[in-house]
Amino acid sequence: MAPGSDRNGHEGRRPRRRRVLLLPLPYHGHINPMLRLAAALHDRGLAVTVVHTETRAPDRRSLPAGCELVTVPDGLPPELAASDDIPSFVFALNRNCAAPFRDLLAGALRQEEEEDGGGVACVVADVDWFAPLAAARELGVPALALMTSSAARFRVYLAYPRLCEKGYLPVQESNMDMPVDEHPPLLVRDLQVMMDTSRHVAYASLLAHIVAGVRQSSGLILNTFNAIERTDVEQIRRDTAIRVFPVGPLHMLSPPATAATQKSSLLPEDRSCLEWLNTQLPGSVLFVSFGTLASIDADELLEVAWGLAASNRPFLWVVRPRLVRGRDSVELPSELLEETRGRGRIIRWAPQEEVLSHPAIGAFLTHSGWNSTLESISRTVPMICKPCGGDQLGTARYVCDVWKVGVRVEVEDKLTRGGIQAAIERLMDGIEGGVVRDRMREMGDVVSKCTMKGGSSDLALQDLVDFIKSS
Ligand code: UDX
């Protein structure tokens, strides 16, 4: 191709940017990292179209600058979108969106032929989008998958059939504390909360579809970094024989949230909590949040609340709608509110990344969602882990036992206020807390090095961009 000409050999025309179509799964914890990837790819010279389902489509203004938004019909009943039956939701999305996505992509390719140059170089879809990944392949467009959770969790996906064959799964009361020999440091209890047989079968089937889709794709993008998950990343490379790009933490590779990108929030952010944090001593406040999907029982909520009260520490607690299973709002006992008046602040939704960056924050009581974990590590805030299910169980194991940047809330039969209080004291007062904070500072340096120019994540991202541009 002559210099100054486009890839079809038309001279004198400035080549347009190659375009990437990004397809996030419509859950906040999946949309956010995909949008951060969108911003990073756009910054590195690619044109970006975010293709979203009509269900939970983000506000157009919430997209990173320069990125386009296109929605595809999904025909999903709102009850299914609101239910916690994730396998049924994801299967229905794949069924209903495959054809509209295929039409959209085919249309973009026809336009490319007519207009010469630019054009769709690649599709990047959440690993859960196995049908659109297949549609892209059928149309001859390279398709990459994005795993928004950890590399370790993706290894569990890969190993799922074997874990079932060996009797680890479905998890049973009797085998909970058995080590998973193939996957140290995980115990069987870290693989999954107990599920009834029909849910177990549906989940196993979903994972089989996901893994098959990824294996046939042109590569896997991981929101992780080598310094914490090198072994898992290498193992995935060996097991799948596809390209693997560990480019995370994605929230560090793209520009920080602006007022516009904050519109991608699930709920309006309560920014007054930042002013309240300004009035608190450095390192004194415990931030408490259980992410976007996790739900707990009303009894557990009370145990958390009384544990926070007993800790005698200032705290900022996100109690979002449906945190308590099936309830849009909760009322806490007035004596509890009285006891924590002035030192306890309860809000519906926080600007979490900003909160974690605030010098007043000393620790994070978290459900161990992968985004929250990465955000905490990048802000060097040590964690108190209270995982609620899914990937959170394994992530908490790595945080507490491998990276040692957090402590676990001990739960015997059920969650207790004593367990919450003890974990807060271990981390915020005890000698163990000092060791954990030192480890977290070291981890903070490591993650900064990975994401700065020439670091492993920066190089992986460049590798990804080069791959897309040469497609
Ligand atoms: C689930 C899984 O547990 C997680 O591992 C997977 O990657 C996505 O789905 P989720 O409940 O969404 O997780 O938690 P998490 O991954 O931690 O993501 C929550 C996101 O919401 C974070 O980016 C966090 O900053 C944001 N958030 C949460 C806010 O901005 N404000 C809040 O008040 C609470």
Side-chain angles (χ1 to χ4, degrees):
M1 192 165 76
S5 64
D6 63 27
R7 69 176 173 155
N8 295 325
H10 297 267
E11 285 185 40
R13 206 179 283 172
R14 209 160 140 249
R16 285 191 293 146
R17 287 172 173 231
R18 307 295 320 280
R19 183 164 294 279
V20 192
L21 264 45
L22 300 185
L23 205 69
L25 192 73
Y27 285 105
H28 182 83
H30 291 246
I31 298 170
N32 248 0
M34 186 68 95
L35 292 186
R36 304 308 269 270
L37 177 65
L41 295 179
H42 187 267
D43 279 357
R44 284 160 182 77
L46 289 156
V48 174
T49 300
V50 176
V51 181
H52 205 284
T53 53
E54 282 170 352
T55 295
R56 304 196 197 118
D59 185 319
R60 210 164 279 278
R61 289 166 299 170
S62 73
L63 258 62
C67 299
E68 279 180 9
L69 176 70
V70 176
T71 54
V72 285
D74 53 63
L76 285 191
E79 318 78 79
L80 182 56
S83 86
D84 65 354
D85 183 356
I86 293 174
S88 298
F89 179 64
V90 174
F91 273 122
L93 280 177
N94 276 281
R95 245 187 341 264
N96 296 0
C97 296
F101 176 75
R102 195 191 163 91
D103 292 346
L104 178 90
L105 183 56
L109 294 173
R110 269 196 306 276
Q111 194 179 352
E112 174 185 359
E113 265 173 33
E114 283 159 18
E115 291 181 2
D116 306 326
V120 180
C122 183
V123 167
V124 176
D126 194 287
V127 291
D128 289 78
W129 277 124
F130 47 86
L133 283 167
R137 275 195 317 274
E138 281 156 27
L139 291 171
V141 177
L144 297 163
L146 170 68
M147 176 73 179
T148 57
S149 186
S150 65
R153 186 63 183 173
F154 192 72
R155 280 191 60 208
V156 170
Y157 284 14
L158 289 171
Y160 216 77
R162 209 167 56 247
L163 298 175
C164 295
E165 266 163 42
K166 293 196 74 172
Y168 294 122
L169 291 168
V171 177
Q172 285 153 41
E173 206 68 62
S174 56
N175 68 358
M176 293 263 241
D177 290 315
M178 196 186 278
V180 181
D181 292 336
E182 300 76 357
H183 201 142
L186 299 184
L187 305 184
V188 171
R189 64 166 68 246
D190 302 326
L191 295 175
Q192 198 54 266
V193 279
M194 283 191 279
M195 294 192 282
D196 61 44
T197 313
S198 65
R199 278 205 163 195
H200 170 71
V201 169
Y203 189 65
S205 164
L206 174 62
L207 295 191
H209 281 78
I210 289 175
V211 166
V214 172
R215 284 189 186 282
Q216 291 168 50
S217 69
S218 305
L220 176 65
I221 305 167
L222 289 167
N223 186 13
T224 193
F225 54 108
N226 275 341
I228 55 169
E229 288 205 287
R230 184 188 298 276
T231 314
D232 293 292
V233 171
E234 291 303 336
Q235 192 63 46
I236 293 170
R237 279 201 179 104
R238 277 196 293 276
D239 283 359
T240 59
I242 58 171
R243 287 163 178 269
V244 178
F245 304 93
V247 298
L250 282 165
H251 72 273
M252 291 180 75
L253 289 186
S254 67
T258 62
T261 53
Q262 279 157 13
K263 292 204 184 67
S264 66
S265 278
L266 206 60
L267 294 160
E269 288 172 348
D270 184 339
R271 302 188 60 78
S272 68
C273 67
L274 297 168
E275 282 150 40
W276 179 76
L277 286 174
N278 288 341
T279 66
Q280 304 298 314
L281 292 174
S284 67
V285 178
L286 175 66
F287 176 52
V288 187
S289 165
F290 295 101
T292 63
L293 291 175
S295 56
I296 56 179
D297 294 333
D299 289 352
E300 290 182 310
L301 182 92
L302 278 183
E303 293 306 310
V304 174
W306 282 113
L308 293 174
S311 77
N312 265 325
R313 292 253 166 203
F315 62 87
L316 172 63
W317 183 12
V318 178
V319 180
R320 63 167 157 74
R322 303 182 83 80
L323 172 60
V324 172
R325 224 157 269 139
R327 292 207 202 155
D328 279 336
S329 62
V330 285
E331 242 176 66
L332 290 164
S334 53
E335 57 279 28
L336 184 134
L337 297 175
E338 194 49 49
E339 193 166 323
T340 57
R341 187 174 304 285
R343 72 178 166 88
R345 185 132 178 146
I346 298 176
I347 58 175
R348 278 161 61 89
W349 191 251
Q352 182 166 303
E353 288 186 55
E354 286 173 82
V355 166
L356 288 170
S357 306
H358 197 287
I361 297 295
F364 182 14
L365 171 52
T366 169
H367 70 313
S368 302
W370 187 242
N371 294 295
S372 294
T373 302
L374 291 178
E375 289 161 17
S376 207
I377 289 175
S378 66
R379 266 68 184 205
T380 64
V381 177
M383 286 169 268
I384 299 170
C385 301
K386 161 62 190 91
C388 297
D391 61 339
Q392 300 152 18
L393 302 156
T395 298
R397 178 73 56 200
Y398 275 79
V399 167
C400 300
D401 298 357
V402 179
W403 309 322
K404 298 186 166 70
V405 290
V407 300
R408 185 180 291 107
V409 176
E410 297 299 343
V411 179
E412 291 274 316
D413 291 332
K414 58 191 179 73
L415 182 67
T416 62
R417 60 195 72 186
I420 296 281
Q421 183 187 353
I424 297 172
E425 285 168 0
R426 274 171 67 204
L427 186 64
M428 295 187 85
D429 302 325
I431 296 174
E432 190 183 354
V435 176
V436 168
R437 275 190 292 281
D438 287 348
R439 284 278 306 141
M440 189 48 121
R441 271 191 287 273
E442 286 168 20
M443 183 78 108
D445 288 343
V446 166
V447 71
S448 301
K449 284 192 186 117
C450 280
T451 49
M452 67 180 47
K453 199 159 176 48
S456 67
S457 297
D458 176 65
L459 293 175
L461 182 64
Q462 196 50 52
D463 201 17
L464 171 65
V465 170
D466 292 344
F467 171 78
I468 295 173
K469 287 184 174 169
S470 66
S471 296

mmCIF file of all heavy atoms in Angstrom, residues 28-30 32 148-149 289 291-293 318 349-350 352 367 369-372 375 391-392, ligand 1:
data_model
loop_
_atom_site.group_PDB
_atom_site.id
_atom_site.type_symbol
_atom_site.label_atom_id
_atom_site.label_comp_id
_atom_site.label_asym_id
_atom_site.label_seq_id
_atom_site.Cartn_x
_atom_site.Cartn_y
_atom_site.Cartn_z
ATOM 1 N N HIS A 28 -23.685 -3.209 35.605
ATOM 2 C CA HIS A 28 -22.781 -2.100 35.908
ATOM 3 C C HIS A 28 -21.317 -2.555 36.034
ATOM 4 O O HIS A 28 -20.413 -1.941 35.467
ATOM 5 C CB HIS A 28 -23.243 -1.426 37.211
ATOM 6 C CG HIS A 28 -22.429 -0.246 37.599
ATOM 7 N ND1 HIS A 28 -22.647 1.002 37.069
ATOM 8 C CD2 HIS A 28 -21.386 -0.127 38.448
ATOM 9 C CE1 HIS A 28 -21.768 1.836 37.590
ATOM 10 N NE2 HIS A 28 -20.995 1.186 38.431
ATOM 11 N N GLY A 29 -21.105 -3.671 36.775
ATOM 12 C CA GLY A 29 -19.739 -4.148 37.015
ATOM 13 C C GLY A 29 -19.062 -4.668 35.750
ATOM 14 O O GLY A 29 -17.858 -4.953 35.757
ATOM 15 N N HIS A 30 -19.810 -4.827 34.658
ATOM 16 C CA HIS A 30 -19.235 -5.249 33.372
ATOM 17 C C HIS A 30 -19.143 -4.044 32.422
ATOM 18 O O HIS A 30 -18.215 -3.960 31.615
ATOM 19 C CB HIS A 30 -20.106 -6.335 32.729
ATOM 20 C CG HIS A 30 -20.072 -7.641 33.460
ATOM 21 N ND1 HIS A 30 -19.526 -8.778 32.929
ATOM 22 C CD2 HIS A 30 -20.505 -7.986 34.699
ATOM 23 C CE1 HIS A 30 -19.632 -9.776 33.790
ATOM 24 N NE2 HIS A 30 -20.238 -9.308 34.875
ATOM 25 N N ASN A 32 -18.731 -0.816 33.178
ATOM 26 C CA ASN A 32 -17.680 0.119 33.565
ATOM 27 C C ASN A 32 -16.299 -0.250 33.014
ATOM 28 O O ASN A 32 -15.668 0.572 32.346
ATOM 29 C CB ASN A 32 -17.618 0.214 35.091
ATOM 30 C CG ASN A 32 -18.063 1.575 35.554
ATOM 31 O OD1 ASN A 32 -18.408 2.442 34.750
ATOM 32 N ND2 ASN A 32 -18.049 1.766 36.857
ATOM 33 N N THR A 148 -14.174 -9.548 32.639
ATOM 34 C CA THR A 148 -14.098 -8.397 33.554
ATOM 35 C C THR A 148 -13.729 -8.835 34.971
ATOM 36 O O THR A 148 -13.452 -7.990 35.809
ATOM 37 C CB THR A 148 -15.443 -7.631 33.601
ATOM 38 O OG1 THR A 148 -16.476 -8.539 33.984
ATOM 39 C CG2 THR A 148 -15.766 -6.993 32.280
ATOM 40 N N SER A 149 -13.754 -10.134 35.223
ATOM 41 C CA SER A 149 -13.308 -10.594 36.542
ATOM 42 C C SER A 149 -11.871 -11.113 36.435
ATOM 43 O O SER A 149 -11.195 -10.904 35.426
ATOM 44 C CB SER A 149 -14.266 -11.652 37.073
ATOM 45 O OG SER A 149 -13.913 -11.986 38.395
ATOM 46 N N SER A 289 -19.074 -1.115 51.336
ATOM 47 C CA SER A 289 -19.933 -1.211 50.149
ATOM 48 C C SER A 289 -19.947 -2.652 49.652
ATOM 49 O O SER A 289 -18.909 -3.327 49.651
ATOM 50 C CB SER A 289 -19.425 -0.279 49.049
ATOM 51 O OG SER A 289 -20.043 -0.624 47.826
ATOM 52 N N GLY A 291 -21.054 -3.509 46.525
ATOM 53 C CA GLY A 291 -21.125 -3.557 45.066
ATOM 54 C C GLY A 291 -22.520 -3.339 44.515
ATOM 55 O O GLY A 291 -23.366 -2.693 45.145
ATOM 56 N N THR A 292 -22.767 -3.906 43.335
ATOM 57 C CA THR A 292 -23.987 -3.557 42.602
ATOM 58 C C THR A 292 -25.052 -4.644 42.648
ATOM 59 O O THR A 292 -26.225 -4.376 42.433
ATOM 60 C CB THR A 292 -23.649 -3.307 41.123
ATOM 61 O OG1 THR A 292 -23.141 -4.516 40.568
ATOM 62 C CG2 THR A 292 -22.630 -2.208 40.962
ATOM 63 N N LEU A 293 -24.650 -5.889 42.878
ATOM 64 C CA LEU A 293 -25.611 -6.993 42.745
ATOM 65 C C LEU A 293 -25.821 -7.779 44.029
ATOM 66 O O LEU A 293 -26.896 -8.344 44.227
ATOM 67 C CB LEU A 293 -25.097 -7.997 41.684
ATOM 68 C CG LEU A 293 -25.083 -7.551 40.244
ATOM 69 C CD1 LEU A 293 -24.428 -8.625 39.376
ATOM 70 C CD2 LEU A 293 -26.494 -7.298 39.750
ATOM 71 N N VAL A 318 -22.492 2.348 52.054
ATOM 72 C CA VAL A 318 -23.425 2.416 50.929
ATOM 73 C C VAL A 318 -24.521 1.358 51.144
ATOM 74 O O VAL A 318 -24.246 0.158 51.104
ATOM 75 C CB VAL A 318 -22.722 2.130 49.578
ATOM 76 C CG1 VAL A 318 -23.729 2.170 48.433
ATOM 77 C CG2 VAL A 318 -21.588 3.126 49.336
ATOM 78 N N TRP A 349 -25.501 5.644 47.206
ATOM 79 C CA TRP A 349 -24.524 5.342 46.143
ATOM 80 C C TRP A 349 -23.358 6.320 46.277
ATOM 81 O O TRP A 349 -23.583 7.525 46.432
ATOM 82 C CB TRP A 349 -25.182 5.481 44.769
ATOM 83 C CG TRP A 349 -24.338 4.943 43.637
ATOM 84 C CD1 TRP A 349 -23.695 5.673 42.685
ATOM 85 C CD2 TRP A 349 -24.047 3.567 43.356
ATOM 86 N NE1 TRP A 349 -23.029 4.834 41.826
ATOM 87 C CE2 TRP A 349 -23.233 3.532 42.212
ATOM 88 C CE3 TRP A 349 -24.399 2.363 43.961
ATOM 89 C CZ2 TRP A 349 -22.759 2.349 41.655
ATOM 90 C CZ3 TRP A 349 -23.922 1.172 43.408
ATOM 91 C CH2 TRP A 349 -23.123 1.181 42.253
ATOM 92 N N ALA A 350 -22.144 5.805 46.218
ATOM 93 C CA ALA A 350 -20.963 6.657 46.432
ATOM 94 C C ALA A 350 -20.185 6.849 45.138
ATOM 95 O O ALA A 350 -20.230 5.984 44.266
ATOM 96 C CB ALA A 350 -20.046 5.986 47.447
ATOM 97 N N GLN A 352 -17.363 5.870 44.229
ATOM 98 C CA GLN A 352 -16.456 4.956 44.938
ATOM 99 C C GLN A 352 -14.972 5.199 44.673
ATOM 100 O O GLN A 352 -14.161 5.170 45.587
ATOM 101 C CB GLN A 352 -16.813 3.497 44.615
ATOM 102 C CG GLN A 352 -15.933 2.499 45.378
ATOM 103 C CD GLN A 352 -16.462 1.095 45.345
ATOM 104 O OE1 GLN A 352 -17.596 0.839 45.744
ATOM 105 N NE2 GLN A 352 -15.660 0.164 44.869
ATOM 106 N N HIS A 367 -17.517 -6.598 49.448
ATOM 107 C CA HIS A 367 -18.006 -7.925 49.061
ATOM 108 C C HIS A 367 -16.993 -8.642 48.163
ATOM 109 O O HIS A 367 -17.260 -9.728 47.679
ATOM 110 C CB HIS A 367 -19.334 -7.779 48.325
ATOM 111 C CG HIS A 367 -19.211 -7.152 46.968
ATOM 112 N ND1 HIS A 367 -18.485 -6.004 46.715
ATOM 113 C CD2 HIS A 367 -19.704 -7.518 45.756
ATOM 114 C CE1 HIS A 367 -18.549 -5.705 45.436
ATOM 115 N NE2 HIS A 367 -19.278 -6.605 44.831
ATOM 116 N N GLY A 369 -16.000 -7.866 45.088
ATOM 117 C CA GLY A 369 -16.203 -7.811 43.635
ATOM 118 C C GLY A 369 -14.864 -7.450 42.996
ATOM 119 O O GLY A 369 -14.024 -6.794 43.627
ATOM 120 N N TRP A 370 -14.652 -7.898 41.780
ATOM 121 C CA TRP A 370 -13.325 -7.718 41.183
ATOM 122 C C TRP A 370 -13.001 -6.240 40.955
ATOM 123 O O TRP A 370 -11.884 -5.790 41.209
ATOM 124 C CB TRP A 370 -13.214 -8.518 39.893
ATOM 125 C CG TRP A 370 -11.833 -8.510 39.311
ATOM 126 C CD1 TRP A 370 -11.455 -8.019 38.096
ATOM 127 C CD2 TRP A 370 -10.631 -9.031 39.925
ATOM 128 N NE1 TRP A 370 -10.102 -8.201 37.910
ATOM 129 C CE2 TRP A 370 -9.567 -8.821 39.013
ATOM 130 C CE3 TRP A 370 -10.355 -9.641 41.148
ATOM 131 C CZ2 TRP A 370 -8.257 -9.199 39.296
ATOM 132 C CZ3 TRP A 370 -9.038 -10.018 41.427
ATOM 133 C CH2 TRP A 370 -8.010 -9.797 40.505
ATOM 134 N N ASN A 371 -13.995 -5.449 40.492
ATOM 135 C CA ASN A 371 -13.702 -4.021 40.274
ATOM 136 C C ASN A 371 -13.354 -3.348 41.594
ATOM 137 O O ASN A 371 -12.392 -2.564 41.668
ATOM 138 C CB ASN A 371 -14.910 -3.307 39.659
ATOM 139 C CG ASN A 371 -15.206 -3.803 38.257
ATOM 140 O OD1 ASN A 371 -14.406 -3.613 37.355
ATOM 141 N ND2 ASN A 371 -16.348 -4.447 38.075
ATOM 142 N N SER A 372 -14.129 -3.629 42.628
ATOM 143 C CA SER A 372 -13.871 -3.012 43.930
ATOM 144 C C SER A 372 -12.484 -3.405 44.437
ATOM 145 O O SER A 372 -11.756 -2.584 44.988
ATOM 146 C CB SER A 372 -14.923 -3.445 44.951
ATOM 147 O OG SER A 372 -16.178 -2.928 44.580
ATOM 148 N N GLU A 375 -9.890 -1.490 42.483
ATOM 149 C CA GLU A 375 -9.922 -0.061 42.862
ATOM 150 C C GLU A 375 -9.266 0.126 44.228
ATOM 151 O O GLU A 375 -8.527 1.096 44.452
ATOM 152 C CB GLU A 375 -11.374 0.446 42.860
ATOM 153 C CG GLU A 375 -11.947 0.576 41.444
ATOM 154 C CD GLU A 375 -13.482 0.630 41.397
ATOM 155 O OE1 GLU A 375 -14.115 0.888 42.439
ATOM 156 O OE2 GLU A 375 -14.047 0.408 40.304
ATOM 157 N N ASP A 391 -17.651 -15.162 41.943
ATOM 158 C CA ASP A 391 -16.210 -14.944 41.905
ATOM 159 C C ASP A 391 -15.670 -14.276 43.167
ATOM 160 O O ASP A 391 -14.479 -14.324 43.449
ATOM 161 C CB ASP A 391 -15.845 -14.102 40.675
ATOM 162 C CG ASP A 391 -16.509 -12.737 40.691
ATOM 163 O OD1 ASP A 391 -17.532 -12.558 41.387
ATOM 164 O OD2 ASP A 391 -16.000 -11.828 40.014
ATOM 165 N N GLN A 392 -16.575 -13.641 43.938
ATOM 166 C CA GLN A 392 -16.122 -12.891 45.120
ATOM 167 C C GLN A 392 -15.450 -13.820 46.148
ATOM 168 O O GLN A 392 -14.533 -13.416 46.860
ATOM 169 C CB GLN A 392 -17.312 -12.192 45.773
ATOM 170 C CG GLN A 392 -17.994 -11.210 44.842
ATOM 171 C CD GLN A 392 -19.475 -11.032 45.159
ATOM 172 O OE1 GLN A 392 -19.940 -11.355 46.238
ATOM 173 N NE2 GLN A 392 -20.221 -10.501 44.194
HETATM 174 C C1 UDX B 1 -19.970 -8.518 40.167
HETATM 175 C C2 UDX B 1 -18.780 -9.471 40.430
HETATM 176 O O1 UDX B 1 -18.682 -9.812 41.791
HETATM 177 C C3 UDX B 1 -17.503 -8.848 39.928
HETATM 178 O O2 UDX B 1 -16.378 -9.576 40.320
HETATM 179 C C4 UDX B 1 -17.628 -8.742 38.450
HETATM 180 O O3 UDX B 1 -16.421 -8.272 37.887
HETATM 181 C C5 UDX B 1 -18.799 -7.818 38.127
HETATM 182 O O4 UDX B 1 -20.014 -8.290 38.747
HETATM 183 P P1 UDX B 1 -20.314 -6.075 41.375
HETATM 184 O O5 UDX B 1 -21.298 -6.301 42.469
HETATM 185 O O6 UDX B 1 -20.737 -5.251 40.237
HETATM 186 O O7 UDX B 1 -19.668 -7.410 40.891
HETATM 187 O O8 UDX B 1 -19.023 -5.448 42.113
HETATM 188 P P2 UDX B 1 -17.677 -4.847 41.557
HETATM 189 O O9 UDX B 1 -17.033 -5.692 40.529
HETATM 190 O O10 UDX B 1 -16.870 -4.558 42.743
HETATM 191 O O11 UDX B 1 -18.138 -3.503 40.834
HETATM 192 C C6 UDX B 1 -18.836 -2.514 41.490
HETATM 193 C C7 UDX B 1 -18.553 -1.201 40.787
HETATM 194 O O12 UDX B 1 -19.533 -0.267 41.217
HETATM 195 C C8 UDX B 1 -17.184 -0.635 41.145
HETATM 196 O O13 UDX B 1 -16.570 -0.128 39.971
HETATM 197 C C9 UDX B 1 -17.494 0.493 42.096
HETATM 198 O O14 UDX B 1 -16.617 1.585 42.020
HETATM 199 C C10 UDX B 1 -18.889 0.914 41.661
HETATM 200 N N1 UDX B 1 -19.639 1.467 42.800
HETATM 201 C C11 UDX B 1 -20.116 0.652 43.789
HETATM 202 C C12 UDX B 1 -19.822 2.821 42.850
HETATM 203 O O15 UDX B 1 -19.373 3.557 41.969
HETATM 204 N N2 UDX B 1 -20.515 3.325 43.903
HETATM 205 C C13 UDX B 1 -21.026 2.572 44.906
HETATM 206 O O16 UDX B 1 -21.645 3.123 45.813
HETATM 207 C C14 UDX B 1 -20.825 1.180 44.845
#
